Amino acid sequence: MKILVISNTISNGGDFLVKRKSLYLINRYLGKESYDYYNLYSTDFEKVNIEKYSCIIYFGGPLYIDRLLENIFSPIIDKIIEYKKKIFILGCGWYGATDVPEIIYNYKFSEKSKKILDYIDTNGVLGCRDDLSVRVLKNNGYQNLIMTGCPVWYANLGLIKSTFSKIDKIAISDMGITKEKDLQDEKFMQMVDVLSFLCERFNDTQIIFTFNNGIETKYSAAFNNNVKEFLRNRKIEYYDLSNGDEGFKVYDDCDFHIGYRVHTHLYCLTRGIPSILICEDARGIGMNSTLGFPIIKANAFDNGNYKNNPYLLKELDNEIDRLMKHCEYEMGRVGQLFAYYNNTNIKEFFDIIKDV
């Protein structure tokens, strides 16, 4: 059996982290010689003969939205259907705006997307990284689902820091949704408020800042450079984590993470580093809901419009107090959750592939 493994990893450090952890799981369950890996955006992929593979595994990212389904799978779905190849999706999620019921239960996929999802539902598995994604897919009639969680969950299982004995170093991760120019000023104000609040609350603690997708990005460079200038004025060290996952090691000697990036949140949790996620959209909301952590939203949803959450700093303040008080329990609990899914759903996912 030879499997075609694909992803669309581009520049975000979190995507590279998911790539490494996904390939780790595939190696563990199926063996290093069982697959060929290609990036969908590489020139090498254009030469791939899909017919020779027994099935296809696609991993990572917020795949379950029309824009991504149509751009990623539409160019290759006809060949996959022609050769009747099964497709297994590992750890993907819904890319919705928020978790309010009128959005979740009214979300409908386009005809192009439904063609792809319909095929996978009857010829593979729709793996989901959180329960909210499962809910959206089920509401659209799909049944062949496994809540695999995110591949990043399954690293360093059981490694848990038991308590906040001392906080010497805190990491803050950057916003992920800053492309819309007309919203950048408001978002920058929130980023400054969060940074200022944390600098004041932890005034004797070293603070570092990370840009998971880099600084000089296509749509957000102006925003990122404004944040960078603020950091320089505050003498806060900052790091560019794009184009690989090695940069995540900057978190390894941190005692606490607070920020917006889901994969930084998960990386820290799997290393026993307490973490608070500020949720910008359904990706963060779905993840924290699945993990059993409080939902702290960056945005307030008001009559179909989004604005900065006016209670964000109060919510952060309360959650810092709560997590510091109950750290040993919370870290132990989430560690057990990772171990549970590792022994159940992930095993089930790969057992199905082995039977192809």
Side-chain angles (χ1 to χ4, degrees), residues 90-136:
L90 172 61
C92 289
W94 177 58
Y95 197 162
T98 188
D99 64 337
V100 294
E102 58 263 41
I103 289 181
I104 293 173
Y105 294 110
N106 288 308
Y107 187 86
K108 301 298 178 186
F109 292 99
S110 69
E111 290 303 315
K112 278 187 177 181
S113 294
K114 286 194 288 186
K115 176 183 177 180
I116 297 164
L117 294 172
D118 289 351
Y119 180 81
I120 300 172
D121 195 43
T122 55
N123 298 276
V125 171
L126 293 162
C128 298
R129 68 181 182 184
D130 57 62
D131 291 326
L132 183 54
S133 302
V134 171
R135 207 181 311 163
V136 170

mmCIF file of all heavy atoms in Angstrom, residues 90-136:
data_model
loop_
_atom_site.group_PDB
_atom_site.id
_atom_site.type_symbol
_atom_site.label_atom_id
_atom_site.label_comp_id
_atom_site.label_asym_id
_atom_site.label_seq_id
_atom_site.Cartn_x
_atom_site.Cartn_y
_atom_site.Cartn_z
ATOM 1 N N LEU A 90 -7.321 14.717 7.920
ATOM 2 C CA LEU A 90 -6.809 14.637 9.289
ATOM 3 C C LEU A 90 -6.727 16.028 9.920
ATOM 4 O O LEU A 90 -6.019 16.903 9.411
ATOM 5 C CB LEU A 90 -5.414 13.993 9.284
ATOM 6 C CG LEU A 90 -4.632 13.997 10.605
ATOM 7 C CD1 LEU A 90 -5.383 13.212 11.688
ATOM 8 C CD2 LEU A 90 -3.234 13.413 10.391
ATOM 9 N N GLY A 91 -7.474 16.232 10.992
ATOM 10 C CA GLY A 91 -7.312 17.421 11.821
ATOM 11 C C GLY A 91 -7.653 18.740 11.169
ATOM 12 O O GLY A 91 -6.994 19.754 11.427
ATOM 13 N N CYS A 92 -8.684 18.779 10.337
ATOM 14 C CA CYS A 92 -9.086 20.042 9.701
ATOM 15 C C CYS A 92 -10.315 20.621 10.402
ATOM 16 O O CYS A 92 -11.045 19.924 11.090
ATOM 17 C CB CYS A 92 -9.364 19.835 8.221
ATOM 18 S SG CYS A 92 -7.865 19.534 7.252
ATOM 19 N N GLY A 93 -10.540 21.918 10.191
ATOM 20 C CA GLY A 93 -11.622 22.582 10.906
ATOM 21 C C GLY A 93 -12.449 23.498 10.037
ATOM 22 O O GLY A 93 -12.097 23.809 8.901
ATOM 23 N N TRP A 94 -13.552 23.921 10.612
ATOM 24 C CA TRP A 94 -14.428 24.902 9.968
ATOM 25 C C TRP A 94 -13.862 26.296 10.201
ATOM 26 O O TRP A 94 -13.406 26.620 11.298
ATOM 27 C CB TRP A 94 -15.834 24.791 10.566
ATOM 28 C CG TRP A 94 -16.816 25.795 10.042
ATOM 29 C CD1 TRP A 94 -17.177 25.975 8.739
ATOM 30 C CD2 TRP A 94 -17.575 26.744 10.795
ATOM 31 N NE1 TRP A 94 -18.108 26.982 8.636
ATOM 32 C CE2 TRP A 94 -18.369 27.467 9.893
ATOM 33 C CE3 TRP A 94 -17.649 27.042 12.160
ATOM 34 C CZ2 TRP A 94 -19.238 28.482 10.309
ATOM 35 C CZ3 TRP A 94 -18.517 28.046 12.562
ATOM 36 C CH2 TRP A 94 -19.298 28.754 11.650
ATOM 37 N N TYR A 95 -13.924 27.134 9.187
ATOM 38 C CA TYR A 95 -13.373 28.494 9.244
ATOM 39 C C TYR A 95 -14.531 29.488 9.281
ATOM 40 O O TYR A 95 -14.752 30.238 8.349
ATOM 41 C CB TYR A 95 -12.499 28.736 8.015
ATOM 42 C CG TYR A 95 -11.548 29.904 8.089
ATOM 43 C CD1 TYR A 95 -10.478 29.987 7.217
ATOM 44 C CD2 TYR A 95 -11.708 30.928 9.003
ATOM 45 C CE1 TYR A 95 -9.591 31.048 7.251
ATOM 46 C CE2 TYR A 95 -10.831 31.987 9.060
ATOM 47 C CZ TYR A 95 -9.774 32.044 8.175
ATOM 48 O OH TYR A 95 -8.895 33.103 8.218
ATOM 49 N N GLY A 96 -15.284 29.471 10.370
ATOM 50 C CA GLY A 96 -16.405 30.390 10.500
ATOM 51 C C GLY A 96 -16.048 31.622 11.294
ATOM 52 O O GLY A 96 -14.989 31.706 11.919
ATOM 53 N N ALA A 97 -16.957 32.584 11.291
ATOM 54 C CA ALA A 97 -16.687 33.852 11.961
ATOM 55 C C ALA A 97 -16.798 33.742 13.473
ATOM 56 O O ALA A 97 -15.987 34.299 14.213
ATOM 57 C CB ALA A 97 -17.647 34.927 11.443
ATOM 58 N N THR A 98 -17.813 33.024 13.940
ATOM 59 C CA THR A 98 -18.013 32.892 15.377
ATOM 60 C C THR A 98 -18.907 31.679 15.624
ATOM 61 O O THR A 98 -19.228 30.934 14.691
ATOM 62 C CB THR A 98 -18.619 34.177 15.982
ATOM 63 O OG1 THR A 98 -18.619 34.079 17.418
ATOM 64 C CG2 THR A 98 -20.013 34.439 15.467
ATOM 65 N N ASP A 99 -19.318 31.493 16.871
ATOM 66 C CA ASP A 99 -20.089 30.293 17.208
ATOM 67 C C ASP A 99 -21.551 30.586 17.488
ATOM 68 O O ASP A 99 -22.252 29.741 18.056
ATOM 69 C CB ASP A 99 -19.475 29.603 18.428
ATOM 70 C CG ASP A 99 -19.536 30.480 19.685
ATOM 71 O OD1 ASP A 99 -19.628 31.726 19.548
ATOM 72 O OD2 ASP A 99 -19.482 29.929 20.794
ATOM 73 N N VAL A 100 -22.047 31.753 17.096
ATOM 74 C CA VAL A 100 -23.464 32.038 17.364
ATOM 75 C C VAL A 100 -24.326 31.110 16.510
ATOM 76 O O VAL A 100 -23.990 30.797 15.360
ATOM 77 C CB VAL A 100 -23.808 33.518 17.075
ATOM 78 C CG1 VAL A 100 -23.079 34.434 18.042
ATOM 79 C CG2 VAL A 100 -23.476 33.900 15.640
ATOM 80 N N PRO A 101 -25.453 30.625 17.065
ATOM 81 C CA PRO A 101 -26.253 29.613 16.363
ATOM 82 C C PRO A 101 -26.704 30.027 14.970
ATOM 83 O O PRO A 101 -26.763 29.184 14.066
ATOM 84 C CB PRO A 101 -27.455 29.419 17.301
ATOM 85 C CG PRO A 101 -26.925 29.768 18.659
ATOM 86 C CD PRO A 101 -25.949 30.879 18.427
ATOM 87 N N GLU A 102 -27.045 31.298 14.769
ATOM 88 C CA GLU A 102 -27.543 31.691 13.449
ATOM 89 C C GLU A 102 -26.473 31.571 12.368
ATOM 90 O O GLU A 102 -26.800 31.460 11.182
ATOM 91 C CB GLU A 102 -28.116 33.118 13.464
ATOM 92 C CG GLU A 102 -27.150 34.205 13.919
ATOM 93 C CD GLU A 102 -27.333 34.552 15.384
ATOM 94 O OE1 GLU A 102 -27.523 33.632 16.197
ATOM 95 O OE2 GLU A 102 -27.281 35.756 15.698
ATOM 96 N N ILE A 103 -25.200 31.588 12.749
ATOM 97 C CA ILE A 103 -24.132 31.372 11.768
ATOM 98 C C ILE A 103 -23.845 29.882 11.617
ATOM 99 O O ILE A 103 -23.746 29.360 10.505
ATOM 100 C CB ILE A 103 -22.859 32.137 12.174
ATOM 101 C CG1 ILE A 103 -23.082 33.643 11.995
ATOM 102 C CG2 ILE A 103 -21.655 31.683 11.353
ATOM 103 C CD1 ILE A 103 -21.885 34.499 12.332
ATOM 104 N N ILE A 104 -23.721 29.175 12.741
ATOM 105 C CA ILE A 104 -23.405 27.742 12.690
ATOM 106 C C ILE A 104 -24.465 26.960 11.916
ATOM 107 O O ILE A 104 -24.152 26.183 11.010
ATOM 108 C CB ILE A 104 -23.296 27.162 14.112
ATOM 109 C CG1 ILE A 104 -22.093 27.751 14.842
ATOM 110 C CG2 ILE A 104 -23.185 25.634 14.071
ATOM 111 C CD1 ILE A 104 -22.027 27.344 16.303
ATOM 112 N N TYR A 105 -25.732 27.184 12.261
ATOM 113 C CA TYR A 105 -26.789 26.329 11.718
ATOM 114 C C TYR A 105 -27.379 26.846 10.411
ATOM 115 O O TYR A 105 -28.251 26.193 9.819
ATOM 116 C CB TYR A 105 -27.868 26.120 12.769
ATOM 117 C CG TYR A 105 -27.347 25.339 13.953
ATOM 118 C CD1 TYR A 105 -27.171 25.948 15.198
ATOM 119 C CD2 TYR A 105 -26.960 24.013 13.810
ATOM 120 C CE1 TYR A 105 -26.651 25.243 16.274
ATOM 121 C CE2 TYR A 105 -26.441 23.299 14.871
ATOM 122 C CZ TYR A 105 -26.286 23.909 16.099
ATOM 123 O OH TYR A 105 -25.757 23.207 17.157
ATOM 124 N N ASN A 106 -26.912 27.984 9.953
ATOM 125 C CA ASN A 106 -27.316 28.469 8.634
ATOM 126 C C ASN A 106 -26.189 28.388 7.615
ATOM 127 O O ASN A 106 -26.377 28.768 6.456
ATOM 128 C CB ASN A 106 -27.824 29.917 8.718
ATOM 129 C CG ASN A 106 -29.176 30.010 9.395
ATOM 130 O OD1 ASN A 106 -30.109 29.313 9.003
ATOM 131 N ND2 ASN A 106 -29.288 30.837 10.410
ATOM 132 N N TYR A 107 -25.019 27.889 8.048
ATOM 133 C CA TYR A 107 -23.901 27.808 7.119
ATOM 134 C C TYR A 107 -24.136 26.689 6.111
ATOM 135 O O TYR A 107 -24.375 25.542 6.480
ATOM 136 C CB TYR A 107 -22.578 27.554 7.854
ATOM 137 C CG TYR A 107 -21.386 27.635 6.923
ATOM 138 C CD1 TYR A 107 -20.789 28.863 6.648
ATOM 139 C CD2 TYR A 107 -20.893 26.504 6.284
ATOM 140 C CE1 TYR A 107 -19.726 28.957 5.769
ATOM 141 C CE2 TYR A 107 -19.830 26.589 5.406
ATOM 142 C CZ TYR A 107 -19.247 27.809 5.152
ATOM 143 O OH TYR A 107 -18.205 27.900 4.279
ATOM 144 N N LYS A 108 -24.061 27.034 4.828
ATOM 145 C CA LYS A 108 -24.243 26.055 3.762
ATOM 146 C C LYS A 108 -23.037 26.119 2.817
ATOM 147 O O LYS A 108 -22.540 27.197 2.495
ATOM 148 C CB LYS A 108 -25.526 26.338 2.964
ATOM 149 C CG LYS A 108 -26.794 26.327 3.806
ATOM 150 C CD LYS A 108 -27.031 24.955 4.445
ATOM 151 C CE LYS A 108 -28.281 24.969 5.326
ATOM 152 N NZ LYS A 108 -28.441 23.691 6.066
ATOM 153 N N PHE A 109 -22.609 24.943 2.375
ATOM 154 C CA PHE A 109 -21.483 24.868 1.455
ATOM 155 C C PHE A 109 -21.948 25.088 0.017
ATOM 156 O O PHE A 109 -23.093 24.796 -0.342
ATOM 157 C CB PHE A 109 -20.802 23.500 1.571
ATOM 158 C CG PHE A 109 -20.098 23.284 2.885
ATOM 159 C CD1 PHE A 109 -20.707 22.563 3.898
ATOM 160 C CD2 PHE A 109 -18.837 23.811 3.101
ATOM 161 C CE1 PHE A 109 -20.073 22.356 5.111
ATOM 162 C CE2 PHE A 109 -18.188 23.613 4.313
ATOM 163 C CZ PHE A 109 -18.802 22.890 5.321
ATOM 164 N N SER A 110 -21.034 25.596 -0.826
ATOM 165 C CA SER A 110 -21.326 25.807 -2.242
ATOM 166 C C SER A 110 -21.452 24.469 -2.960
ATOM 167 O O SER A 110 -21.094 23.408 -2.429
ATOM 168 C CB SER A 110 -20.206 26.628 -2.895
ATOM 169 O OG SER A 110 -19.007 25.843 -2.973
ATOM 170 N N GLU A 111 -21.962 24.496 -4.183
ATOM 171 C CA GLU A 111 -22.111 23.261 -4.960
ATOM 172 C C GLU A 111 -20.758 22.608 -5.213
ATOM 173 O O GLU A 111 -20.626 21.383 -5.163
ATOM 174 C CB GLU A 111 -22.820 23.551 -6.288
ATOM 175 C CG GLU A 111 -24.289 23.909 -6.129
ATOM 176 C CD GLU A 111 -25.079 22.830 -5.392
ATOM 177 O OE1 GLU A 111 -24.903 21.631 -5.716
ATOM 178 O OE2 GLU A 111 -25.864 23.173 -4.494
ATOM 179 N N LYS A 112 -19.732 23.408 -5.489
ATOM 180 C CA LYS A 112 -18.387 22.857 -5.695
ATOM 181 C C LYS A 112 -17.878 22.181 -4.428
ATOM 182 O O LYS A 112 -17.290 21.091 -4.474
ATOM 183 C CB LYS A 112 -17.415 23.968 -6.107
ATOM 184 C CG LYS A 112 -17.452 24.338 -7.575
ATOM 185 C CD LYS A 112 -16.321 25.321 -7.894
ATOM 186 C CE LYS A 112 -16.280 25.643 -9.364
ATOM 187 N NZ LYS A 112 -15.160 26.578 -9.682
ATOM 188 N N SER A 113 -18.101 22.827 -3.303
ATOM 189 C CA SER A 113 -17.652 22.261 -2.033
ATOM 190 C C SER A 113 -18.422 20.991 -1.706
ATOM 191 O O SER A 113 -17.843 20.001 -1.220
ATOM 192 C CB SER A 113 -17.824 23.275 -0.897
ATOM 193 O OG SER A 113 -16.970 24.383 -1.078
ATOM 194 N N LYS A 114 -19.726 21.005 -1.960
ATOM 195 C CA LYS A 114 -20.542 19.825 -1.663
ATOM 196 C C LYS A 114 -20.116 18.624 -2.501
ATOM 197 O O LYS A 114 -20.146 17.483 -2.011
ATOM 198 C CB LYS A 114 -22.028 20.139 -1.876
ATOM 199 C CG LYS A 114 -22.625 21.007 -0.774
ATOM 200 C CD LYS A 114 -24.131 21.010 -0.818
ATOM 201 C CE LYS A 114 -24.646 21.792 -2.003
ATOM 202 N NZ LYS A 114 -26.137 21.910 -1.962
ATOM 203 N N LYS A 115 -19.706 18.867 -3.738
ATOM 204 C CA LYS A 115 -19.221 17.771 -4.577
ATOM 205 C C LYS A 115 -18.028 17.081 -3.923
ATOM 206 O O LYS A 115 -17.935 15.844 -3.906
ATOM 207 C CB LYS A 115 -18.822 18.316 -5.946
ATOM 208 C CG LYS A 115 -18.211 17.270 -6.875
ATOM 209 C CD LYS A 115 -17.777 17.900 -8.198
ATOM 210 C CE LYS A 115 -17.105 16.868 -9.103
ATOM 211 N NZ LYS A 115 -16.665 17.457 -10.395
ATOM 212 N N ILE A 116 -17.125 17.881 -3.349
ATOM 213 C CA ILE A 116 -15.931 17.350 -2.684
ATOM 214 C C ILE A 116 -16.308 16.643 -1.393
ATOM 215 O O ILE A 116 -15.905 15.497 -1.144
ATOM 216 C CB ILE A 116 -14.933 18.492 -2.411
ATOM 217 C CG1 ILE A 116 -14.456 19.096 -3.730
ATOM 218 C CG2 ILE A 116 -13.756 17.999 -1.576
ATOM 219 C CD1 ILE A 116 -13.786 20.457 -3.581
ATOM 220 N N LEU A 117 -17.091 17.315 -0.554
ATOM 221 C CA LEU A 117 -17.460 16.748 0.737
ATOM 222 C C LEU A 117 -18.332 15.508 0.587
ATOM 223 O O LEU A 117 -18.180 14.536 1.345
ATOM 224 C CB LEU A 117 -18.183 17.808 1.584
ATOM 225 C CG LEU A 117 -17.334 19.015 2.004
ATOM 226 C CD1 LEU A 117 -18.216 20.066 2.666
ATOM 227 C CD2 LEU A 117 -16.209 18.601 2.932
ATOM 228 N N ASP A 118 -19.250 15.521 -0.393
ATOM 229 C CA ASP A 118 -20.099 14.354 -0.642
ATOM 230 C C ASP A 118 -19.244 13.149 -0.999
ATOM 231 O O ASP A 118 -19.494 12.026 -0.528
ATOM 232 C CB ASP A 118 -21.083 14.632 -1.786
ATOM 233 C CG ASP A 118 -22.183 15.608 -1.405
ATOM 234 O OD1 ASP A 118 -22.281 15.948 -0.204
ATOM 235 O OD2 ASP A 118 -22.923 16.050 -2.308
ATOM 236 N N TYR A 119 -18.239 13.380 -1.835
ATOM 237 C CA TYR A 119 -17.377 12.268 -2.258
ATOM 238 C C TYR A 119 -16.590 11.710 -1.073
ATOM 239 O O TYR A 119 -16.528 10.491 -0.872
ATOM 240 C CB TYR A 119 -16.419 12.721 -3.367
ATOM 241 C CG TYR A 119 -15.519 11.598 -3.829
ATOM 242 C CD1 TYR A 119 -15.981 10.646 -4.738
ATOM 243 C CD2 TYR A 119 -14.228 11.470 -3.320
ATOM 244 C CE1 TYR A 119 -15.169 9.588 -5.136
ATOM 245 C CE2 TYR A 119 -13.410 10.413 -3.716
ATOM 246 C CZ TYR A 119 -13.890 9.479 -4.633
ATOM 247 O OH TYR A 119 -13.088 8.428 -5.013
ATOM 248 N N ILE A 120 -15.996 12.601 -0.279
ATOM 249 C CA ILE A 120 -15.200 12.140 0.860
ATOM 250 C C ILE A 120 -16.087 11.438 1.877
ATOM 251 O O ILE A 120 -15.698 10.429 2.473
ATOM 252 C CB ILE A 120 -14.451 13.315 1.521
ATOM 253 C CG1 ILE A 120 -13.508 13.975 0.525
ATOM 254 C CG2 ILE A 120 -13.660 12.838 2.743
ATOM 255 C CD1 ILE A 120 -12.860 15.257 1.032
ATOM 256 N N ASP A 121 -17.305 11.938 2.073
ATOM 257 C CA ASP A 121 -18.217 11.352 3.067
ATOM 258 C C ASP A 121 -18.550 9.902 2.748
ATOM 259 O O ASP A 121 -18.796 9.101 3.648
ATOM 260 C CB ASP A 121 -19.498 12.192 3.127
ATOM 261 C CG ASP A 121 -20.336 11.896 4.357
ATOM 262 O OD1 ASP A 121 -19.759 11.765 5.452
ATOM 263 O OD2 ASP A 121 -21.561 11.782 4.226
ATOM 264 N N THR A 122 -18.548 9.566 1.464
ATOM 265 C CA THR A 122 -18.851 8.187 1.065
ATOM 266 C C THR A 122 -17.605 7.409 0.648
ATOM 267 O O THR A 122 -17.693 6.200 0.404
ATOM 268 C CB THR A 122 -19.857 8.176 -0.107
ATOM 269 O OG1 THR A 122 -19.344 8.978 -1.183
ATOM 270 C CG2 THR A 122 -21.196 8.715 0.339
ATOM 271 N N ASN A 123 -16.469 8.084 0.576
ATOM 272 C CA ASN A 123 -15.235 7.436 0.134
ATOM 273 C C ASN A 123 -14.053 7.877 0.999
ATOM 274 O O ASN A 123 -12.998 8.266 0.484
ATOM 275 C CB ASN A 123 -14.943 7.766 -1.336
ATOM 276 C CG ASN A 123 -16.006 7.263 -2.274
ATOM 277 O OD1 ASN A 123 -16.002 6.108 -2.683
ATOM 278 N ND2 ASN A 123 -16.955 8.132 -2.612
ATOM 279 N N GLY A 124 -14.219 7.809 2.290
ATOM 280 C CA GLY A 124 -13.134 8.214 3.175
ATOM 281 C C GLY A 124 -13.659 8.666 4.521
ATOM 282 O O GLY A 124 -14.695 8.194 4.990
ATOM 283 N N VAL A 125 -12.954 9.607 5.125
ATOM 284 C CA VAL A 125 -13.325 10.122 6.440
ATOM 285 C C VAL A 125 -13.093 11.628 6.474
ATOM 286 O O VAL A 125 -12.044 12.112 6.033
ATOM 287 C CB VAL A 125 -12.493 9.457 7.564
ATOM 288 C CG1 VAL A 125 -12.731 10.158 8.895
ATOM 289 C CG2 VAL A 125 -12.838 7.980 7.684
ATOM 290 N N LEU A 126 -14.056 12.358 7.002
ATOM 291 C CA LEU A 126 -13.920 13.790 7.244
ATOM 292 C C LEU A 126 -13.426 13.969 8.683
ATOM 293 O O LEU A 126 -14.212 14.001 9.619
ATOM 294 C CB LEU A 126 -15.255 14.501 7.024
ATOM 295 C CG LEU A 126 -15.770 14.507 5.577
ATOM 296 C CD1 LEU A 126 -17.253 14.822 5.535
ATOM 297 C CD2 LEU A 126 -14.982 15.507 4.734
ATOM 298 N N GLY A 127 -12.125 14.047 8.853
ATOM 299 C CA GLY A 127 -11.541 14.236 10.180
ATOM 300 C C GLY A 127 -11.633 15.693 10.604
ATOM 301 O O GLY A 127 -11.351 16.593 9.813
ATOM 302 N N CYS A 128 -12.036 15.931 11.840
ATOM 303 C CA CYS A 128 -12.239 17.290 12.345
ATOM 304 C C CYS A 128 -11.343 17.558 13.549
ATOM 305 O O CYS A 128 -11.130 16.675 14.381
ATOM 306 C CB CYS A 128 -13.693 17.487 12.763
ATOM 307 S SG CYS A 128 -14.876 17.302 11.411
ATOM 308 N N ARG A 129 -10.862 18.785 13.653
ATOM 309 C CA ARG A 129 -9.971 19.102 14.763
ATOM 310 C C ARG A 129 -10.709 19.618 15.995
ATOM 311 O O ARG A 129 -10.090 19.810 17.047
ATOM 312 C CB ARG A 129 -8.918 20.118 14.328
ATOM 313 C CG ARG A 129 -9.437 21.510 14.020
ATOM 314 C CD ARG A 129 -8.313 22.401 13.576
ATOM 315 N NE ARG A 129 -8.758 23.768 13.312
ATOM 316 C CZ ARG A 129 -7.959 24.721 12.833
ATOM 317 N NH1 ARG A 129 -6.707 24.450 12.583
ATOM 318 N NH2 ARG A 129 -8.423 25.929 12.612
ATOM 319 N N ASP A 130 -12.016 19.854 15.894
ATOM 320 C CA ASP A 130 -12.776 20.306 17.059
ATOM 321 C C ASP A 130 -14.243 19.943 16.897
ATOM 322 O O ASP A 130 -14.710 19.606 15.809
ATOM 323 C CB ASP A 130 -12.615 21.821 17.270
ATOM 324 C CG ASP A 130 -13.032 22.635 16.062
ATOM 325 O OD1 ASP A 130 -14.209 22.567 15.685
ATOM 326 O OD2 ASP A 130 -12.174 23.344 15.487
ATOM 327 N N ASP A 131 -14.970 20.008 18.008
ATOM 328 C CA ASP A 131 -16.379 19.608 18.016
ATOM 329 C C ASP A 131 -17.268 20.573 17.241
ATOM 330 O O ASP A 131 -18.314 20.171 16.722
ATOM 331 C CB ASP A 131 -16.881 19.493 19.462
ATOM 332 C CG ASP A 131 -16.249 18.323 20.201
ATOM 333 O OD1 ASP A 131 -15.982 17.299 19.559
ATOM 334 O OD2 ASP A 131 -16.008 18.446 21.424
ATOM 335 N N LEU A 132 -16.887 21.834 17.164
ATOM 336 C CA LEU A 132 -17.681 22.811 16.416
ATOM 337 C C LEU A 132 -17.677 22.472 14.927
ATOM 338 O O LEU A 132 -18.711 22.576 14.250
ATOM 339 C CB LEU A 132 -17.118 24.220 16.651
ATOM 340 C CG LEU A 132 -17.858 25.387 16.017
ATOM 341 C CD1 LEU A 132 -19.328 25.388 16.398
ATOM 342 C CD2 LEU A 132 -17.201 26.705 16.422
ATOM 343 N N SER A 133 -16.536 22.029 14.407
ATOM 344 C CA SER A 133 -16.457 21.618 13.000
ATOM 345 C C SER A 133 -17.334 20.406 12.742
ATOM 346 O O SER A 133 -18.007 20.314 11.705
ATOM 347 C CB SER A 133 -15.000 21.307 12.633
ATOM 348 O OG SER A 133 -14.174 22.425 12.852
ATOM 349 N N VAL A 134 -17.348 19.465 13.689
ATOM 350 C CA VAL A 134 -18.227 18.304 13.578
ATOM 351 C C VAL A 134 -19.684 18.759 13.487
ATOM 352 O O VAL A 134 -20.466 18.266 12.670
ATOM 353 C CB VAL A 134 -18.034 17.360 14.785
ATOM 354 C CG1 VAL A 134 -19.097 16.271 14.799
ATOM 355 C CG2 VAL A 134 -16.638 16.739 14.754
ATOM 356 N N ARG A 135 -20.048 19.724 14.324
ATOM 357 C CA ARG A 135 -21.429 20.211 14.361
ATOM 358 C C ARG A 135 -21.848 20.825 13.020
ATOM 359 O O ARG A 135 -22.958 20.580 12.516
ATOM 360 C CB ARG A 135 -21.561 21.254 15.473
ATOM 361 C CG ARG A 135 -22.955 21.376 16.053
ATOM 362 C CD ARG A 135 -22.990 22.440 17.135
ATOM 363 N NE ARG A 135 -21.907 22.285 18.103
ATOM 364 C CZ ARG A 135 -21.516 23.248 18.943
ATOM 365 N NH1 ARG A 135 -22.126 24.422 18.921
ATOM 366 N NH2 ARG A 135 -20.545 23.033 19.787
ATOM 367 N N VAL A 136 -20.957 21.627 12.422
ATOM 368 C CA VAL A 136 -21.268 22.274 11.146
ATOM 369 C C VAL A 136 -21.423 21.237 10.041
ATOM 370 O O VAL A 136 -22.369 21.296 9.236
ATOM 371 C CB VAL A 136 -20.177 23.296 10.776
ATOM 372 C CG1 VAL A 136 -20.362 23.803 9.352
ATOM 373 C CG2 VAL A 136 -20.190 24.471 11.754
#
